[in-house]
Amino acid sequence: MTVKERTLVFNICIGIFNIVLGLCICGFLILGIGFVLSKMSESAQQSVPVSVIVPLVLIVGLFASIAISRSVVIFVLDKFDLRNKLDPKMTSRYTKK
């Protein structure tokens, strides 16, 4: 395989991983919020606007999935020594801080 083909396959795998990770994190956060709301008293449940909580939870889940995904990609690139096998433009985005 050429460098471009390996980079394409790696990017497709990263994309699928990001989608699954984002859905899992957002799903767990929404289930957690639902569990917390179900344990609250009836008056407290009525005072919490769900239309405000759900977008905030989804934004937190998005940022959490981006941070986790970046860390996992850096780990995979270093663990399997893929930096020299993939396109340097792509691997330059995933540098350790």
Side-chain angles (χ1 to χ4, degrees):
M1 292 180 85
T2 65
V3 172
K4 286 184 180 184
E5 290 170 342
R6 283 190 292 254
T7 304
L8 177 66
V9 170
F10 189 73
N11 281 335
I12 290 171
C13 292
I14 289 173
I16 293 170
F17 175 72
N18 285 338
I19 290 169
V20 171
L21 182 68
L23 288 174
C24 288
I25 289 175
C26 287
F28 284 131
L29 286 175
I30 288 176
L31 286 175
I33 292 296
F35 180 73
V36 168
L37 286 176
S38 69
K39 297 295 181 186
M40 295 173 77
S41 66
E42 190 68 33
S43 61
Q45 286 180 1
Q46 297 297 328
S47 67
V48 176
V50 176
S51 61
V52 173
I53 290 178
V54 172
L56 290 176
V57 167
L58 292 176
I59 289 171
V60 168
L62 175 69
F63 285 124
S65 66
I66 289 171
I68 293 170
S69 172
R70 187 175 191 286
S71 298
V72 169
V73 170
I74 289 171
F75 172 76
V76 168
L77 286 173
D78 292 339
K79 177 73 174 176
F80 298 108
D81 194 30
L82 296 175
R83 292 195 185 272
N84 59 351
K85 296 176 181 95
L86 299 173
D87 187 17
K89 289 180 184 177
M90 196 273 305
T91 58
S92 67
R93 288 184 286 177
Y94 299 106
T95 58
K96 287 186 180 179
K97 289 184 179 178

